[in-house]
Amino acid sequence: MAVNWARSGSPWLIHFNTGGCNGCDIEFVAAITPVYDVERFGIKLQGSPRHADILAVTGPVTVQIAHSLKRVYDQMPSPKFVVALGTCAVSGAPFRNCYCVHGGVDSVIPVDAYVPGCPPKPEAMIDGIAKLLQKIRGTKG
Amino acid sequence: MVAYEIFQLVVFPGALFVICLAFLYEWVDRKLFARVQGRYGPLYTGPAGILQPVADFLKLLSKEDIVPRACDANLFFAVPVMYAALPLTALFIMPIAAPEALVSFEGDLIFILFSFGLMTLLIFLAGWSSMSRFSAIGSVRSALQMLSYEIPLGLVLVCPAIAARSLSVSGIVQWQAANATWGAALQPIGLAVVMVCMLAELELVPFDIPEAETEIVAGWRTEFTGRRLALFRMGRDLEIVLVSALVVSLYLGGAQQLWLVPAAAMFVIKTAAVVAVFSFARALFARFRIDQMIAGMWKYLLPIAVAQVVLVQMGLGA
Ligand code: SF4
């Protein structure tokens, strides 16, 4: 109970771009500006994967970066969650069958929440993360 | 009588009260920082987000505990515990509920100074033991930073002691009470120097060089997870209480009863004001480079600190 409350009350994010066009990244950075004030939910952006709870991934996973993504995921302490931001991260989108693209994020690591859009608005990203937090609060600890 | 003494040590004004204060001040700091940026800050965790630091702490306690294979395991285990315990111990010397602290002896001001040095040493060991390049850079920067602020800080903290002819924090508070004055009124220069040095001691924004997120990930704490990170964060919060308690005791009259307001309440109000100054500084300034910081401390702050000692010796401000 208390643990789920604490987990859903203090999600710390780390951002990872797996080869996107930067559109999603700009929107993600916009989502953590004072205008949207995600600290209301206790969200903080962390630099080190060791401190983070939620991995926010943008862009299609290229073959070259797939093992780095896996490695950053492994460096995070569990329980850890992954949000795929943008259609590219959800499925690979237009780059799906490209020779250099591995696929969506869920072809490499498990994903807990998908936020489609090219790019999704900051509001949509915050909504996706808030839904993930609801999920964490609901799960049995 | 023994039961009351144990109550004093464990509950009020001892460990429990101080830890609650540490969490409260983290919240105050984050809220003020957010207000300066025109946003709300923590809002949904408890009333007005007041339980945010508690949620962070509980969450970190419940996370997986990763020990990097390359690290020096003994140090890696011991340092976080010592880092949280040291400021808690030092806080017993601070007068909180009365002008007389729980523990006081002639020379405890020197113990406080020593514990500030030890905190930095622990940070250095923390970064060094985790054997990561980011941690190593962070800890070396932290040690370098100490070399520059420790000397002006030590010089200036001696001034209230000279004025009060006592090397104990409680003694200085009682001297201020007896003379109906505040250290800040007599030694404003000293107060300014101490505030700048304390920003560096706490690694707050203009001097957060050892954990500069944009350059070296999270500095010396990069490799710490879960419980250990929670202890480091609590140690930092306790250190903020310790530092503001020291500033209040030496310069702002300390825990003195004012008319009907009890001493402990005055202490909380005054320390919260000091924390507010820290968070405004954090919100208003940008980070210095390490060379700018060291050059500035040696070129400007050290002469000012010496000037304050000379002024006190000439009988001004004493
Ligand atoms: S979803 Fe659109 S904006 Fe985002 S990385 Fe892909 S192409 Fe760029």
Side-chain angles (χ1 to χ4, degrees):
Chain A
M1 255 317 281
V3 171
N4 283 342
W5 167 80
R7 271 179 199 154
S8 61
S10 119
W12 292 353
L13 288 182
I14 181 164
H15 175 212
F16 193 98
N17 180 351
T18 55
C21 73
N22 251 344
C24 286
D25 303 291
I26 290 168
E27 297 297 313
F28 178 78
V29 172
I32 54 171
T33 51
V35 179
Y36 294 99
D37 189 16
V38 285
E39 205 189 359
R40 283 175 300 152
F41 304 101
I43 295 177
K44 283 212 302 186
L45 196 67
Q46 291 291 337
S48 164
R50 296 264 196 237
H51 302 177
D53 307 294
I54 299 181
L55 181 63
V57 190
T58 53
V61 182
T62 59
V63 172
Q64 198 181 18
I65 211 149
H67 90 276
S68 305
L69 176 62
K70 174 85 174 45
R71 190 155 168 201
V72 167
Y73 181 74
D74 288 340
Q75 280 175 342
M76 288 167 61
S78 57
K80 48 193 166 188
F81 307 94
V82 180
V83 218
L85 299 176
T87 316
C88 284
V90 170
S91 65
F95 314 105
R96 193 177 174 82
N97 294 320
C98 203
Y99 70 95
C100 59
V101 169
H102 197 282
V105 176
D106 51 10
S107 67
V108 186
I109 53 176
V111 176
D112 298 273
Y114 298 88
V115 182
C118 180
K121 287 177 120 187
E123 289 93 334
M125 292 182 175
I126 296 169
D127 186 47
I129 292 171
K131 291 223 166 81
L132 173 65
L133 295 183
Q134 274 174 8
K135 201 166 127 186
I136 298 173
R137 202 168 299 149
T139 49
K140 300 270 183 297
Chain B
M1 238 16 243
V2 176
Y4 181 62
E5 274 175 13
I6 291 175
F7 174 79
Q8 273 191 323
L9 281 180
V10 179
V11 184
F12 180 86
L16 198 67
F17 177 70
V18 162
I19 289 173
C20 290
L21 217 54
F23 283 139
L24 180 73
Y25 286 167
E26 188 190 336
W27 174 75
V28 168
D29 174 55
R30 280 172 76 169
K31 259 321 215 205
L32 275 173
F33 187 73
R35 289 314 296 172
V36 176
Q37 295 185 336
R39 54 194 181 89
Y40 285 105
L43 194 60
Y44 300 126
T45 324
I50 199 164
L51 294 179
Q52 188 64 52
V54 184
D56 288 348
F57 187 71
L58 278 180
K59 178 206 72 177
L60 285 173
L61 283 187
S62 73
K63 289 209 72 141
E64 184 191 355
D65 191 16
I66 298 177
V67 182
R69 207 183 310 144
C71 79
D72 181 338
N74 292 337
L75 271 180
F76 200 75
F77 291 143
V79 166
V81 180
M82 296 202 280
Y83 189 83
L86 192 62
L88 191 60
T89 319
L91 268 164
F92 285 113
I93 293 173
M94 292 295 157
I96 291 178
E100 178 74 37
L102 287 181
V103 183
S104 78
F105 50 93
E106 201 53 42
D108 55 15
L109 187 63
I110 293 175
F111 176 79
I112 300 281
L113 259 178
F114 172 71
S115 69
F116 284 144
L118 215 55
M119 294 292 276
T120 314
L121 200 68
L122 283 177
I123 289 177
F124 180 78
L125 286 178
W128 199 255
S129 68
S130 45
M131 292 298 258
S132 141
R133 65 205 81 172
F134 301 117
S135 313
I137 295 174
S139 53
V140 169
R141 283 184 183 187
S142 170
L144 264 177
Q145 198 158 293
M146 183 181 88
L147 292 182
S148 57
Y149 71 74
E150 196 87 315
I151 294 159
L153 180 68
L155 276 176
V156 135
L157 282 187
V158 164
C159 297
I162 297 176
R165 310 216 173 280
S166 159
L167 260 179
S168 112
V169 181
S170 304
I172 294 170
V173 172
Q174 281 152 13
W175 179 80
Q176 291 178 66
N179 290 316
T181 180
W182 279 12
L186 302 173
Q187 305 169 358
I189 306 174
L191 177 62
V193 174
V194 165
M195 289 303 271
V196 174
C197 291
M198 286 309 183
L199 279 174
E201 163 72 35
L202 293 167
E203 296 176 1
L204 295 177
V205 156
F207 308 118
D208 68 333
I209 308 160
E211 44 192 74
E213 194 180 295
T214 37
E215 302 161 23
I216 48 173
V217 188
W220 53 271
R221 17 180 172 180
T222 302
E223 294 293 333
F224 289 90
T225 54
R227 250 173 288 149
R228 286 180 237 294
L229 186 61
L231 282 176
F232 272 126
R233 285 174 57 87
M234 199 170 88
R236 167 60 48 84
D237 290 348
L238 284 170
E239 203 187 348
I240 289 181
V241 179
L242 174 66
V243 161
S244 45
L246 185 68
V247 171
V248 164
S249 300
L250 297 191
Y251 290 98
L252 303 179
Q256 285 178 39
Q257 193 164 351
L258 182 76
W259 197 45
L260 278 181
V261 190
M266 284 311 290
F267 174 84
V268 171
I269 294 169
K270 286 175 185 171
T271 42
V274 175
V275 171
V277 173
F278 285 144
S279 43
F280 276 113
R282 205 158 75 84
L284 294 177
F285 291 101
R287 187 185 309 128
F288 287 113
R289 274 199 325 264
I290 183 83
D291 59 316
Q292 291 171 328
M293 187 254 176
I294 293 177
M297 288 278 181
W298 281 98
K299 269 193 221 149
Y300 304 112
L301 220 55
L302 187 60
I304 297 175
V306 173
Q308 175 68 69
V309 178
V310 172
L311 281 178
V312 170
Q313 284 295 357
M314 281 160 46
L316 297 167

